[in-house]
Amino acid sequence: DARVTQTPRHKVTEMGQEVTLRCKPISGHDYLFWYRQTMMRGLELLIYFNNNVPIDDSGMPEDRFSAKMPNASFSTLKIQPSEPRDSAVYFCASTDRTNEKLFFGSGTQLSVL
Amino acid sequence: DQQVKQNSPSLSVQEGRISILNCDYTNSMFDYFLWYKKYPAEGPTFLISISSIKDKNEDGRFTVFLNKSAKHLSLHIVPSQPGDSAVYFCAAPPINSGGSNYKLTFGKGTLLTVNP
């Protein structure tokens, strides 16, 4: 598939609930990134994987956040428990070694009430 | 501490005129820069890039200028079209990454509105 697919597109949940965001990278891409966009901080990198292995998770805000990539075609970002300040748009992106650019999904708009 | 700064949150121009979007950076060791464009409800898409060995890169209506001494880059769109209305982000990869775009640092973006 020639695009990054993210589900769900929108998620509204209550504080304290677990949230799982999903991403399917472009086939053949071996790098996967999770970004978060907020008004205050803009686009910030949370974590990225290479060949399904987490390389840098220094952007993950706290232990409530976790990310996995069980295989080359699927990744999840989980927030447990969620808090109102987690409300943001979460983007997944993928690329490979030959590309100078990232390919972003359409994002998941998360609202934690 | 933002290493890549876009100080203008928004810009409005008339169709046909030039749009100039600005970006400043704090680390003189950055050697590669990218611009991404984002429409509402979509993810950012790559637009144009420039290496620090150049001071200009052009692609159709889009030109990026790099002023290393001022640690400033700008994106020029000429002529501007209503379809250019979007948020524009400048970004830089880590120093000495060989142009690798991994772990990009993004500015906060500038919303460009091109009025018909």
Side-chain angles (χ1 to χ4, degrees), chain B residues 37-103:
Chain B
K37 179 169 75 172
K38 183 187 177 305
Y39 291 118
E42 295 183 12
T45 56
F46 171 77
L47 184 60
I48 193 170
S49 62
I50 189 167
S51 165
S52 62
I53 63 174
K54 296 183 176 182
D55 55 16
K56 175 183 174 182
N57 189 26
E58 189 172 354
D59 183 1
R61 296 185 296 112
F62 302 89
T63 302
V64 57
F65 295 92
L66 177 61
N67 183 334
K68 291 183 284 294
S69 61
K71 289 186 281 187
H72 176 84
L73 63 154
S74 59
L75 175 68
H76 293 214
I77 307 173
V78 183
S80 303
Q81 299 174 353
D84 297 328
S85 298
V87 177
Y88 290 80
F89 295 95
C90 65
I95 296 163
N96 295 327
S97 61
S100 159
N101 57 29
Y102 317 136
K103 202 172 180 179

Side-chain angles (χ1 to χ4, degrees), chain A residues 96-108:
Chain A
D96 63 30
R97 213 170 276 278
T98 65
N99 258 304
E100 68 167 346
K101 56 190 178 184
L102 300 180
F103 296 82
F104 283 83
S106 297
T108 295

Side-chain angles (χ1 to χ4, degrees), chain A residues 9 31 33 35 37 39-43 45 48 56 58 91 95-97 99-102 104-106, chain B residues 2 32 34 36 38 41-46 48-49 87 89 99-108:
Chain A
R9 289 297 307 272
Y31 284 85
F33 305 79
Y35 278 86
Q37 184 186 17
M39 289 293 291
M40 288 294 294
R41 301 175 67 88
L43 261 173
L45 177 66
Y48 80 93
D56 187 338
S58 58
F91 289 102
T95 192
D96 63 30
R97 213 170 276 278
N99 258 304
E100 68 167 346
K101 56 190 178 184
L102 300 180
F104 283 83
S106 297
Chain B
Q2 277 223 303
Y32 195 75
L34 306 95
Y36 280 75
K38 183 187 177 305
E42 295 183 12
T45 56
F46 171 77
I48 193 170
S49 62
V87 177
F89 295 95
S100 159
N101 57 29
Y102 317 136
K103 202 172 180 179
L104 287 177
T105 297
F106 283 86
K108 289 190 177 181

